[in-house]
Amino acid sequence: MATSQFADAYRQFCFLPRGPRQSFYTVFVSRELLPGQGILKGKFEDCQHSKAVGFESSDPHFAVRPDGSVYAEQEVLNLTEPVQFMVTARGGHDPNIWETTVKLALAGHPPSVPVNQNHYTPKHYHDITKVPFQVIKFPRKHQRSSSANGLRRQKRDWVIPPINVPENSRGPFPQMLVRIRSDQDQEKGIRYSITGAGADQPPSDVYNIDPVHGKMFVTRPLDREERASYHLRAHAVDMNGNKVENPIDLYIYVIDMNDNRPEFQNQVYNGSVAEGSKPGTSVMRVTANDSDDDTTANGMVRYRILSQTPHMPIPNMFTINSETGEIVTVAAGLDREKVSQYTIIVQATDMEGNLNFGLSNTATALISVTDINDNPPELTARTFSGEVPENRVNVVVANLTVIDRDQPHSPNWAAQYRIASGDPQGHFLIRTNPVNNDGMVTVVKPVDYEQNRAFMLTVIVSNRAPLASGIQSSLQSSAGVTISVQDVNEPPVFPSNPKSIRFEEGVPAGTTLTVFAAQDPDLFIHQTVRYSKLSDPANWLRINRTNGQITTMAMLDRESMYVKDNIYEATFLAADNGSPPASGTGTLQIQLIDVNDNAPVLMPKEAQVCERASPRSRVNITASDADADPHVGPFVFELPSYPPSIRRNWTVSRISGDYAQLRLRIAYLDAGVYDVPIMVSDSGNPPLSNRSGIKVKVCPCDDNGDCTTTGAVAAAGLGTGAIIAILICIIILLTMVLVFVMWMKRREKERQAKPLLIDPEDDVRDNILKYDEEGGGEEDQDYDLSQLQQPESLDHIINKPVGVRRVDERPIIAESQYPVRPSLPHPGDIGDFINDGLRAADNDPTAPPYDSLLVFDYEGSGSTAGSVSSLNSSSSGDQDYDYLNDWGPRFKKLADLYGGGDDD
């Protein structure tokens, strides 16, 4: 069902080729309809838009224009009851007709419920418990016939109005809605069925029909907010399933009930309004939505303000548009400095705001009062003061405090200061402290006590943002600032710093260059200035301590490494005797004028030419001179006359002012290295000359004119014999290296072939260890070593008499048998093998040492010493031991014991 709230806002209904898009339209109109006032507009949609379509109305009070607009033909007064009529459309030569029903109802008033229509009455009029129903017959098709006089109207089919069912019905269910029957039910058995969403399609089983009697039922309560309408089709077939009637369309509309409260989009709304706003200023808009039908009073929401906090300056500072929800100001007097935020409770009620029947909801609106610059900044005092030492910069000398009642840290609050007068040279600048908004008077240009002892400043303060309209600056926005300057001891100042002078290089020591004096800026204090040297890289200068006179200590040299771009710089210090002492520095720049004091030097120092005269047997030469123009080139190159071989073998020819060419004068010159002297003269006044030598290597050349390798060596001074000797030495050295490598490989193989049970580095076998060997005298070296040797045979022992044997002789018995070591011993058997061998050796009498008397004191024959047995321990004390005193301090004690010594 289509509806419209106002008749003058046209609604369009469409006729499709099979009929209207909707079969029933409900239009809400005002209480009085004027003649010619548009109500509804129809449109015929087919594939032939150019063909004319004719419209007719069944009610004489209403007519239809050719464009499909439905309007009031006569004045309709007191439209208290709904008016229903039919609109018919005929198009071109098409024999079919199309019809739709239009129902007019008074806007804002619920329509009455006719006995044959499924309209509703809102719940607050009376409670709907039963829905009246109607009998719907299957219509017959209408034909149109033509005659000579035009069209002849035939009897119309039934127009099946929509079936209106209220939502949230209490039942009982199933509840009958309508009965469907066919005119042929008297002739044959008919079976009825319905199809569509709500019947056999989701949501299923909302509606069903008695197949025999055609009664259609709703099976449960409906909810318009879930589904507002249903489109079903009713079918009639005989007992064999053959179609008896064409299907008819059933439109079921769910009638809205006021079962939903308005819902605000937000529970808290935030808005703002500038302070001082005029009445009627828009602040914000709140919106509430109602899920009920917004074309009825159920969904028509109205707004109102319940409360305002705080009640300043009046309780009702704001109002709200009841239909749009727009909040506006209704009174002047908004002041952020007094009230910065208002809290508004807004209520939304449906049923067009009827508090008795409507449902309500509330939301909170927070209105912030934004700041405007309605409070000029005010200085807290009329005068401020401060002091500053002279020659100090970037120091704060005074602090200006200000009060501003606008919102802190906003452009309306932020202060900016300006010096209106008293500082024509710009010594001071006032910076704003961003934290507390104070003005910091800062020295940005040094002040001089000798010129200004005090400053009187006039300061004006303002905001970054301009004042609001109608707000005047305060008298307290300006103040005076007095700045006192303190005298301090200032360092001496050189009037010209750096000071530049010009002198020729080479001036002798003791020459006075200039007077580099400084001035003391402290005019009111008499002080003495003393000078000293601070920086003199070459130590060329001296300064007079009293008057600053500069003299030379050494000869000035422009070509010195300490001179840059012909300028020599030295720094001097001037200090006064103030309290505390102060000093200043000055730089002296001496521009040295060049003189011809450097002879030219030949370049290059070495060259290489071919031994035969050719274009390759030439060398380009030039010269370098440490002096500057005009004491440098063009240079003059000459060969000396002595020795004569120089000019006989070589010649020099000029190429340009700075270059010449040295080449062979003869056709062939033996390979070797030649020192060729050349005289070079510059163009100074007077000119300076220098004899320089160039070492030229003469060598054989190949076809390209390049020296060959052999030739280069030969040119270096090595003969053929020397070259051969060098090659032989290289070959011998390589041979020795090869032999050593082969020997190392062979030794490695032998070591791998006889592996040891232990690490070779830890093996002490076959090693001779010598500990503290002390050789004897000449007499001790004459002894018979054969006495210590093992005898080769036992004959001399056998033939000896009984009882005489040598102590080292081997006994004549059978040898003991030692255990045999297995070929592949197990590592665990090595210990057993060693122990068995040790026991066999201990029990073997034939193994040394032999079980016999050992003699250790045999010293051989030929000794001059007598037998020890000749010493008599009981000899008399006549022996003289005084000779022990001559043996040194080591025998002093022995001499005392045996010699008796002197008594102490």
Side-chain angles (χ1 to χ4, degrees), residues 103-148:
K103 181 178 181 179
L104 303 181
L106 184 61
H109 290 73
S112 61
V113 183
V115 294
N116 61 340
Q117 300 249 352
N118 288 335
H119 289 286
Y120 75 98
T121 302
K123 192 172 183 180
H124 62 271
Y125 287 96
H126 66 271
D127 191 7
I128 297 178
T129 58
K130 294 185 64 178
V131 179
F133 65 92
Q134 61 184 352
V135 178
I136 299 178
K137 293 185 178 181
F138 282 89
R140 298 299 176 192
K141 290 184 180 180
H142 302 303
Q143 300 293 334
R144 55 179 298 192
S145 59
S146 60
S147 61

Side-chain angles (χ1 to χ4, degrees), residues 75-107:
E75 185 175 358
V76 181
L77 299 176
N78 298 325
L79 189 62
T80 57
E81 296 294 334
V83 177
Q84 181 173 317
F85 57 92
M86 185 175 296
V87 178
T88 304
R90 298 181 179 87
H93 301 286
D94 196 332
N96 297 322
I97 62 174
W98 293 268
E99 296 176 340
T100 187
T101 301
V102 178
K103 181 178 181 179
L104 303 181
L106 184 61

Side-chain angles (χ1 to χ4, degrees), residues 10 13 44 50 63 70 119 163 216 262 350 434 896:
Y10 287 176
F13 62 92
F44 193 93
S50 61
V70 180
H119 289 286
I163 303 171
M216 194 173 86
D350 58 14
D896 294 340

